[in-house]
Amino acid sequence: MSPDQIIPVLIALMTGATEPAFDVLRDGGHDSRYPITIETCPRPLGPMEVEGQTVICGRIEVPEDYAATGGATIPLAFAVLKSRSTAPAPDPVIYLHGGPGGYTVQAIPLNAHIFDFLRDRRDIILFDQRGAGISDRTIACYSELAADFVQFTKADEEKMFGPDDPLAKCLTETTATGVDLSLYNTTQSARDVRAIMDTLGYPTYNAFGISYGTKLGQELLRTAPEGLRSLVIDSISRVDNAAYDTNGMPADQALGWVVDYCMAEEACAAAYPDLEETIAAAGRRLAEDPKLTVMGEEVGPELIADLLDASNGRNMPFTAYLPQVFTELSEGQTATLQKLLAGDFNFIPTPEAIIARYGAGLGDLDRTIAEVALIEATQITSAQSALAKLLSTLSDDLASSGALNTEALLDDALSSVAATMESDDVLAMMRDYVMFIGQQPDRAAIETLIATHVPEVEKPRLLGLVAAMTEEDVDAFYQRARVDSANLTSRSRMTFTLGIIACQEDFPFNSPEGYDAVAANYRFPAVDPGVRKSTLPLYGFCDLFDKHPRDGFHDPVVSDIPVLAMSGTKDTQTDPEAAEKVVRTLANGQAVLFPEAGHAVIQFSQCAKDVAVGFIEDPSAPVNAACTANLIPKFYIAPPNQ
């Protein structure tokens, strides 16, 4: 944020001013079919966000089944992040999150950061899809969540997927409520997107899907394209691909890109001329005894896939060191791998390090000027960070809604008291606290929680705070309980929602036999042990769910709406080749492959952000992707004495 943007934010905080565009939302929204209820935004909001001014949150009631008239509704959580422009484009961007079962609203700072590059021109719309994040009120298994709270928090996959394990019990509790899980699917979610945009007042909009969100985006093109101006799909899960059977293909292809890029670089090809065979030899050595040890832990053949996953999640030149890592592994050595995982190769951009790396050609005067400029830039960055924290604190202190003062004091007091309690007592309190997510706000229930679990010496002070709470404070306490629980158990809950959606619509399209058939054709069989270990339990888990395949759902989508398809060569979760494949049936589709990008391409380079911005500004124009040539990795060649 520039100073001329910060000052209006400060004035808005001090005066309590609100964004006039939000007034209609406070009154129920633009479409009475999908009424809006404004709620406190989950905390923290993040730097530079002012509730009611730059961001507003709430729930939108949408039909559980769009084919039924007058049926049940689902409350979907949403947040609107206003553009920083005083004259924003009329067509916002709605984020279609991954999973299925991911979330956005409980993580506003993260998502505001990811999509910050679009807020100069457009509003950003976040929402948690049906059954996901804090839009899970209709399917959440509150009793099981409380009973097995520790397992839901730790999310040990070896103790989660069995027929007698927590997720199966969660399914039993959910189905016992009578909810029709067949309605929690990608097609209904596509209809939700159009409903959300109608009631938020955006007749025309753009959508940006990542991972599973790209599958939702494809279904949006097919089922509810009205008003959709353009679609960006990043890290693509194609509707016509058996995603679980092909779960190892992205890792296989990511490893292929390492080899191919190395062979295309003269120095790398000379240093590692038989890299493909070297990788196979590394896989064989990892399967042998004695086991190799990395970072103090024994490793097996799963390490190959684990390394590719590590590269997928790191925005650093991880790929550059893999040829040397594989060479050493084939020989039973791990020196370079140990240094890589310890971060010894990471470049920390201090002024001194930048000058040392890039300043060799400077004269003394220019070197001094560059050093002073770098020091000033560092100080500006620190000042901006401090300012952001001050604004965030001021926003919470002055908020007319949100984590209100007395409720915030109670939360701080409970946290302090919990730090002095025995672990078993804290766990018992957490189990009862988690139960708040399934209840209506009730002051007496908060008093019971304190009376039951808090040490006697602390009860009068905390009960006094409860007595001083307003009804808004009570609501905020329950909201905090929902968000705390969602954050602590996000991985387990995401897996549960993934089961509800993927297991019913992607089976029997996927099968263990299909997985084996695909694995038999891997270019690099060494990736299979790690991928197989993580994938095969999902097939057994999906046996717990009824299947509801839909005719035509797995057919390629045909559309003339402009689409930008983005893939990354490091992505081990979705097919790097999917961008080229998906646009074959999209008349105005454009595909771009980004070297050295992993899952969620836009998080890996300014190049990816710039290409996406250019496309959204003018979806009908050819994208300028020339910057991708600068992303190709430069490989590490070990010194001769290593």
Side-chain angles (χ1 to χ4, degrees), residues 192-414:
D192 289 340
V193 174
R194 181 61 263 175
I196 289 167
M197 302 314 284
D198 281 340
T199 199
L200 291 179
Y202 300 108
T204 303
Y205 70 100
N206 310 279
F208 200 121
I210 298 178
S211 194
Y212 164 77
T214 67
K215 183 175 283 189
L216 176 54
Q218 292 165 75
E219 187 64 14
L220 189 61
L221 292 173
R222 177 160 49 198
T223 299
E226 300 84 4
L228 181 60
R229 174 177 173 268
S230 74
L231 171 67
V232 180
I233 45 178
D234 173 342
S235 306
I236 299 152
S237 178
R238 290 165 33 231
V239 294
D240 57 323
N241 179 59
Y244 301 97
D245 291 358
T246 59
N247 212 26
M249 284 183 60
D252 189 50
Q253 291 168 0
L255 190 50
W257 281 109
V258 175
V259 173
D260 295 345
Y261 280 136
C262 178
M263 293 302 101
E265 182 187 291
E266 184 176 353
C268 188
Y272 312 104
D274 300 313
L275 184 54
E276 196 156 340
E277 170 53 32
T278 298
I279 293 169
R284 292 192 294 270
R285 177 60 187 88
L286 287 165
E288 296 172 354
D289 291 323
K291 296 296 184 186
L292 301 183
T293 301
V294 177
M295 306 297 285
E297 300 286 339
E298 284 192 350
V299 295
E302 298 90 354
L303 180 65
I304 301 292
D306 290 345
L307 285 176
L308 295 169
D309 285 340
S311 177
N312 172 49
R314 300 188 185 195
N315 190 8
M316 58 166 286
F318 202 93
T319 302
Y321 302 94
L322 290 182
Q324 180 63 24
V325 166
F326 292 135
T327 298
E328 291 178 11
L329 286 175
S330 71
E331 300 166 352
Q333 304 298 318
T334 62
T336 299
L337 176 56
Q338 301 270 14
K339 291 174 66 177
L340 180 61
L341 295 178
D344 292 353
F345 293 116
N346 292 1
F347 176 68
I348 301 174
T350 63
E352 297 78 11
I354 293 171
I355 289 292
R357 175 174 284 196
Y358 302 107
L362 298 178
D364 290 343
L365 178 59
D366 288 340
R367 185 183 184 89
T368 300
I369 293 172
E371 286 178 344
V372 172
L374 287 167
I375 291 169
E376 290 290 330
T378 301
Q379 292 174 344
I380 290 171
T381 300
S382 298
Q384 288 177 332
S385 177
L387 177 60
K389 291 178 181 178
L390 288 172
L391 284 174
S392 182
T393 301
L394 186 62
S395 175
D396 280 348
D397 285 348
L398 298 179
S400 59
S401 63
L404 302 177
N405 290 337
T406 308
E407 187 275 334
L409 290 172
L410 177 61
D411 180 72
D412 289 342
L414 276 172

Side-chain angles (χ1 to χ4, degrees), residues 15 22 56 121 137 168 179 190 201 217 240 273 279 284 310 330 354 357 391 412 424 456 478 564 584 590 593 617:
T15 62
F22 291 156
I56 193 168
R121 285 273 292 142
R137 289 185 183 176
V179 63
D240 57 323
I279 293 169
R284 292 192 294 270
S330 71
I354 293 171
R357 175 174 284 196
L391 284 174
D412 289 342
D424 287 346
E456 289 294 330
Y478 274 74
L564 173 63
R584 292 172 185 170
Q590 301 184 67
L593 179 69
E617 282 299 305

Side-chain angles (χ1 to χ4, degrees), residues 3 76 146 172 248 254 271 300 341 353 368 377 440 449 469 509 577 582 600 605 632:
L76 300 182
T172 298
L341 295 178
T368 300
Q440 293 298 314
L449 176 77
M469 290 168 67
F509 192 56
E577 296 179 357
V582 76
S605 70
I632 295 174

Side-chain angles (χ1 to χ4, degrees), residues 359-493:
L362 298 178
D364 290 343
L365 178 59
D366 288 340
R367 185 183 184 89
T368 300
I369 293 172
E371 286 178 344
V372 172
L374 287 167
I375 291 169
E376 290 290 330
T378 301
Q379 292 174 344
I380 290 171
T381 300
S382 298
Q384 288 177 332
S385 177
L387 177 60
K389 291 178 181 178
L390 288 172
L391 284 174
S392 182
T393 301
L394 186 62
S395 175
D396 280 348
D397 285 348
L398 298 179
S400 59
S401 63
L404 302 177
N405 290 337
T406 308
E407 187 275 334
L409 290 172
L410 177 61
D411 180 72
D412 289 342
L414 276 172
S415 298
S416 298
V417 170
T420 68
M421 295 166 57
E422 297 293 330
S423 57
D424 287 346
D425 294 333
V426 173
L427 181 59
M429 182 169 70
M430 287 301 298
R431 287 194 180 106
D432 284 351
Y433 179 67
V434 167
M435 291 300 291
F436 279 77
I437 65 177
Q439 309 297 326
Q440 293 298 314
D442 181 6
R443 186 189 309 271
I446 303 174
E447 293 171 337
T448 299
L449 176 77
I450 292 170
T452 303
H453 297 289
V454 170
E456 289 294 330
V457 68
E458 299 286 358
K459 286 180 183 177
R461 177 169 68 96
L462 270 65
L463 288 172
L465 286 172
V466 176
M469 290 168 67
T470 66
E471 292 305 313
E472 285 183 307
D473 285 314
V474 174
D475 290 345
F477 185 89
Y478 274 74
Q479 173 75 343
R480 191 188 294 270
R482 293 187 186 101
V483 174
D484 286 346
S485 173
N487 287 332
L488 288 168
T489 62
S490 59
R491 185 176 174 189
S492 298
R493 287 148 57 93

